[in-house]
Amino acid sequence: MNILSLFKPVTTFVLDVDGVLTDGTLQLLPGGEMSRKMNIKDGYAMQLAVKKGYRVVIISGGKSESVVSRLQGLGIKNIYVGVLDKKEKLQDYVFEHDLRWDEILYMGDDIPDYAPMQLVGLATCPADAAPEIKSISRYVSPLGGGQGCVRDIMEKVLKLNGHWLLDEGIASK
């Protein structure tokens, strides 16, 4: 089977934050604030996917107002942070929106993503994911977390469905 055939039916992207949208490192700032960095190309792909009608769902164990603010600025509405059981949250979301498992792509990088990734049609991970996650992933991006791995998967889906077009009306990052 050609791996790209698994990307075509995707309508919903479910993403972890730390280790997927970021490189998994935290910079500790005075006053206890923690900072993360995100890839601008991932941001472009996410906002384009939203504008083209795809669901982008964030399920993260972490809690960061700046991360939520950034994602909301990209047009993402389904942002769940501080989640203790990602599998349960995913099941609730799928049931609530009457989705099929085969139309869902999940990108995770570590053990908390293991159980929900086993439910979806296309489990994916960044190049630097934990070995356990790589072992259950149908696609391992050649790019690491925070290094454009989200753009990699989204670009495949959007191109296969004719949605990766140059459009000057699409907002910048």
Side-chain angles (χ1 to χ4, degrees), residues 107 124-129 134 137 139-145 147-153 156:
M107 181 172 259
T124 67
C125 69
D128 54 355
K134 285 182 175 180
S137 292
Y139 176 77
V140 177
S141 174
L143 303 167
Q147 304 297 314
C149 62
V150 171
R151 162 84 173 245
D152 176 39
I153 57 158
K156 283 174 178 37

Side-chain angles (χ1 to χ4, degrees), residues 51-105:
K51 287 178 180 173
K52 294 295 183 178
Y54 293 85
R55 289 179 192 85
V56 178
V57 181
I58 306 300
I59 302 178
S60 176
K63 296 180 197 174
S64 167
E65 288 183 33
S66 59
V67 167
V68 170
S69 177
R70 164 72 176 148
L71 296 170
Q72 287 174 334
L74 296 172
I76 299 170
K77 295 179 177 29
N78 299 298
I79 304 168
Y80 306 99
V81 296
V83 176
L84 298 177
D85 186 338
K86 291 183 177 187
K87 179 180 177 182
E88 180 180 342
K89 176 54 76 180
L90 178 60
Q91 289 172 317
D92 290 347
Y93 183 86
V94 168
F95 179 73
E96 179 183 334
H97 295 276
D98 195 28
L99 300 175
R100 294 184 334 267
W101 290 108
D102 66 338
E103 66 185 307
I104 300 170
L105 179 153

